[in-house]
């Protein structure tokens, strides 16, 4: 999502006469597009801001945009005095105007240009700036209303909003007309997509018809909105990759409940079993969190056993990181750091073995 947002920002700036510069030492403007999903992502940004000191270039403009802007707002100026402007993820379309104000007006006051998570204007997506030559990311929905108890996304990106079908189709058609042949649809939970009576399956079927488009895929699916009918649509599609990213998060029902995920370990297993039966050669990847508040050795063992059974082609494994605004923040972060590390290493090792075995095939 942030890769696409950065492209959108680059496209807007290019259309306003800016040039994208390969070397940060020569840049007049540096914009950090930030992520708040885990503490580690934020720590990296804080240390990077520190390296863009103005000593060498007093006219250098530094902006912090994205989820950290929403999360910290004014506090960014306290911690990083060289920052000139702060813009939340819903207001990235204002960046060209902000930059022209800053560069014209020497009396410009440092300011947070972030409001209340209003809807992004659709036009910003139609600026035909893509980092890759053949592949485009395409946002179909913004925000999330699932409120998994560990997750900051609903608070920093706002509640779920769907883009209109006609705008998505136009963006895809324009990308293909411009020579792109592969598209990845993006949303925090693409399977919840809706525009009138068009659901995600219908959206895929519509995009499948675009002449010249060779490959289509999507991120991310939530198990509670993923059904066998949808797997049939993957099977029957000409252009869809036979691949699904379906975050598990935990193999313990107790922890899944505390995470507010809306499914049990048994239901998850039944779902992936159905997926593999319906879609031939199906690839499956996942996300898992270890060390969620209250996770016992036994809960972890259930995750370990489920990962063994599930045989994911690949999985991202994260150590739980307490996040502001979330329900889980109210629970004690009581799994010792050393235990989190141990569980993380153990699961990584297990998954590495499974991935190697599967990939060798
Ligand atoms: N701590 C650790 N991992 C997290 N994720 C989301 N929030 C947190 C958190 N607070 C992980 C989930 C999600 C992925 C994108 O990041 O596994 O699926
Ligand atoms: Fe976060 Fe859950 Fe929404 Fe994914 S589905 S973005 S984990 S709240």
């Amino acid at each position: 999502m942030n890769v696409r947002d950065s492209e959108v920002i680059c496209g807007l700036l290019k259309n306003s006469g800016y040039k994208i510069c390969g070397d940060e030492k020569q840049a007049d403007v540096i914009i950090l597009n930030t992520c708040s999903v885990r503490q580690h992502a934020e720590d990296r940004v804080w240390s990077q801001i520190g390296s863009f000191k103005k000593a060498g270039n007093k006219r250098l403009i530094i902006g912090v945009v994205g989820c950290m802007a929403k999360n910290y707002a004014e506090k960014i100026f306290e911690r990083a005095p060289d920052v000139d402007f702060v813009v939340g993820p819903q207001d990235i379309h204002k960046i060209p105007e902000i930059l022209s104000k800053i560069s014209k007006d020497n009396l410009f006051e440092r300011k947070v240009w972030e409001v209340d998570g209003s809807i992004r204007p659709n036009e910003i997506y139609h600026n035909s700036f893509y980092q890759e030559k053949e592949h485009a990311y395409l946002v179909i929905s913004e925000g999330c209303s699932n409120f998994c108890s560990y997750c900051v996304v609903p608070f920093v990106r706002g509640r779920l909003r769907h883009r209109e079908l006609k705008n998505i189709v136009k963006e895809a058609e324009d990308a293909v007309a411009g020579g792109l042949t592969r598209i990845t649809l993006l949303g925090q939970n693409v399977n919840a997509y809706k525009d009138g009576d068009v659901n995600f399956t219908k959206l895929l079927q519509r995009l499948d018809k675009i002449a010249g488009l060779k490959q289509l895929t999507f991120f991310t699916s939530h198990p509670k909105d993923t059904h066998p009918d949808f797997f049939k649509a993957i099977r029957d599609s000409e252009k869809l990759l036979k691949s699904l990213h379906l975050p598990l998060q935990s193999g313990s029902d107790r922890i899944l409940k505390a995470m507010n995920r809306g499914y049990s370990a048994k239901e998850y297993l039944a779902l992936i079993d159905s997926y593999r039966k319906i879609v031939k050669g199906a690839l499956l990847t996942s996300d898992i969190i270890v060390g969620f508040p209250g996770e016992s050795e036994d809960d972890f063992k259930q995750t370990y056993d489920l990962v063994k059974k599930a045989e994911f082609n690949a999985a991202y494994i994260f150590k739980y990181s307490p996040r502001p605004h979330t329900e889980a923040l109210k629970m004690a972060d009581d799994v010792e750091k050393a235990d989190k590390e141990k569980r993380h290493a153990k699961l990584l090792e297990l998954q590495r073995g499974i991935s190697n075995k599967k990939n060798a095939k």
Side-chain angles (χ1 to χ4, degrees):
M1 198 60 89
N2 265 11
V3 170
R4 181 59 186 144
D5 284 358
S6 296
E7 288 180 341
V8 166
I9 295 167
C10 288
L12 290 171
L13 290 178
K14 248 185 136 173
N15 293 343
S16 311
Y18 291 87
K19 283 199 199 112
I20 312 300
C21 164
D23 178 3
E24 68 202 31
K25 290 199 189 74
Q26 282 170 12
D28 300 312
V29 180
I30 293 178
I31 299 175
L32 291 116
N33 188 15
T34 62
C35 172
S36 287
V37 78
R38 284 172 295 278
Q39 186 64 48
H40 182 61
E42 292 190 343
D43 292 344
R44 280 167 54 202
V45 171
W46 289 123
S47 75
Q48 218 178 359
I49 297 178
S51 71
F52 300 137
K53 286 267 181 278
K54 293 203 173 184
N57 178 2
K58 290 227 161 19
R59 301 201 47 175
L60 174 67
I61 296 169
I62 301 175
V64 173
V65 316
C67 294
M68 277 177 78
K70 177 87 182 150
N71 216 0
Y72 291 91
E74 283 85 0
K75 289 194 194 115
I76 292 182
F77 298 128
E78 286 163 27
R79 203 161 154 186
D82 282 340
V83 171
D84 297 281
F85 69 96
V86 169
V87 186
Q90 258 41 262
D91 295 273
I92 54 177
H93 54 285
K94 294 180 186 156
I95 293 174
E97 182 199 327
I98 295 169
L99 283 178
S100 79
K101 280 200 176 137
I102 294 181
S103 40
K104 268 193 217 125
D105 182 1
N106 287 332
L107 298 171
F108 180 81
E109 219 182 310
R110 291 193 312 167
K111 194 169 151 184
V112 176
W113 297 75
E114 162 263 306
V115 281
D116 51 2
S118 54
I119 289 171
R120 290 175 175 182
N122 175 61
E123 308 80 70
I124 65 166
Y125 289 110
H126 298 270
N127 62 46
S128 53
F129 187 97
Y130 299 101
Q131 276 182 340
E132 295 174 64
K133 279 210 175 72
E134 288 173 7
H135 169 255
Y137 285 114
L138 202 170
V139 173
I140 65 163
S141 58
E142 298 164 7
C144 185
S145 301
N146 283 331
F147 293 94
C148 301
S149 65
Y150 51 80
C151 184
V152 77
V153 168
F155 304 97
V156 285
R157 290 213 175 238
R159 307 297 180 263
L160 177 65
R161 287 101 50 204
H162 307 289
R163 288 186 62 206
E164 283 179 56
L165 174 74
K166 65 172 196 300
N167 293 328
I168 295 171
V169 171
K170 180 164 185 340
E171 193 178 329
E173 284 175 345
D174 287 351
V176 172
L180 292 114
T181 54
R182 297 184 288 122
I183 292 179
T184 301
L185 306 176
L186 298 177
Q188 306 296 340
N189 175 10
V190 288
N191 292 76
Y193 180 79
K194 221 161 184 31
D195 178 14
D197 61 354
V198 176
N199 61 13
F200 187 54
T201 305
K202 285 192 180 153
L203 169 68
L204 290 174
Q205 285 160 347
R206 173 66 190 85
L207 296 175
D208 216 37
K209 289 195 192 121
I210 297 177
L213 176 65
K214 291 190 181 138
Q215 196 182 81
L216 191 58
T217 189
F218 54 87
F219 280 107
T220 290
S221 299
H222 192 301
K224 76 176 170 55
D225 297 308
T226 310
H227 308 286
D229 275 353
F230 173 66
F231 303 147
K232 288 181 190 149
I234 301 181
R235 179 195 63 194
D236 297 338
S237 156
E238 197 188 316
K239 293 166 185 169
L240 264 182
L241 276 186
K242 310 302 176 205
S243 171
L244 180 68
H245 185 68
L246 196 65
L248 162 68
Q249 311 299 5
S250 171
S252 151
D253 287 346
R254 208 174 62 81
I255 299 296
L256 283 170
K257 192 152 189 258
M259 286 177 163
N260 191 30
R261 289 291 290 175
Y263 54 87
S264 66
K266 209 171 143 196
E267 283 163 347
Y268 184 91
L269 274 175
L271 198 60
I272 63 172
D273 189 44
S274 143
Y275 167 62
R276 284 178 166 140
K277 278 193 179 126
I278 294 171
V279 185
K280 276 225 171 69
L283 297 183
L284 182 67
T285 55
S286 200
D287 290 346
I288 292 145
I289 300 174
V290 296
F292 184 83
E295 184 187 74
S296 64
E297 273 303 325
D298 183 57
D299 292 315
F300 174 68
K301 188 172 180 309
Q302 292 178 45
T303 301
Y304 188 90
D305 291 345
L306 207 156
V307 168
K308 213 174 187 173
K309 258 195 221 151
E311 296 211 319
F312 300 119
N313 294 85
Y316 295 100
I317 299 160
F318 305 108
K319 287 171 263 183
Y320 170 71
S321 166
R323 300 283 69 211
H325 317 293
T326 60
E327 273 301 303
L329 191 68
K330 298 176 191 157
M331 311 170 196
D333 181 18
D334 54 0
V335 179
E336 295 282 334
K337 197 166 174 271
D339 286 328
K340 274 189 199 168
E341 307 271 355
K342 242 192 271 167
R343 292 175 193 176
H344 184 250
K346 218 175 150 184
L347 212 51
L348 265 184
E349 197 193 318
L350 170 68
Q351 183 55 46
R352 200 168 289 141
I354 298 170
S355 296
N356 287 343
K357 192 181 90 186
K358 295 220 126 193
N359 294 341
K361 268 194 201 160

